[in-house]
Amino acid sequence: SLPPTWVLYFSLPTDVFLKRLESRELIEGRADDSEEIRKKRLDVYLSQTQPLVEFYRERGKLLEIDATPSIEK
């Protein structure tokens, strides 16, 4: 039989997400992190990904990981 299926979800507050992308744009000069694209990414997440997060959470299949700490932590 197959092992139970889990979904890993790295949770991050919206303000931290946007700030990290803004910093990455400034540091790395990435065109794909512009303010317009950051907003679009957030819109896509809210409309397409967040409902899936709730779907798996309701079924007890979501393993939520706090993505707020730095990579080192």
Side-chain angles (χ1 to χ4, degrees):
S1 93
L2 294 173
T5 302
W6 290 90
V7 174
L8 297 178
Y9 173 60
F10 292 88
S11 70
L12 189 65
T14 301
D15 61 325
V16 176
F17 164 73
L18 293 172
K19 186 172 283 194
R20 285 182 181 177
L21 289 180
E22 181 180 4
S23 293
R24 189 170 75 172
E25 177 192 18
L26 295 173
I27 293 168
E28 298 179 18
R30 292 179 54 153
D32 62 334
D33 285 334
S34 69
E35 184 176 355
E36 180 181 334
I37 292 174
R38 291 191 305 263
K39 182 179 178 339
K40 177 68 174 169
R41 284 183 185 169
L42 183 58
D43 290 343
V44 169
Y45 168 80
L46 293 172
S47 66
Q48 296 179 18
T49 305
Q50 186 62 37
L52 288 173
V53 170
E54 296 308 318
F55 174 87
Y56 288 108
R57 181 179 283 130
E58 290 169 2
R59 284 153 182 80
K61 299 290 186 181
L62 190 74
L63 181 57
E64 191 162 349
I65 300 166
D66 180 9
T68 305
S70 66
I71 292 172
E72 293 78 19
K73 290 183 182 179

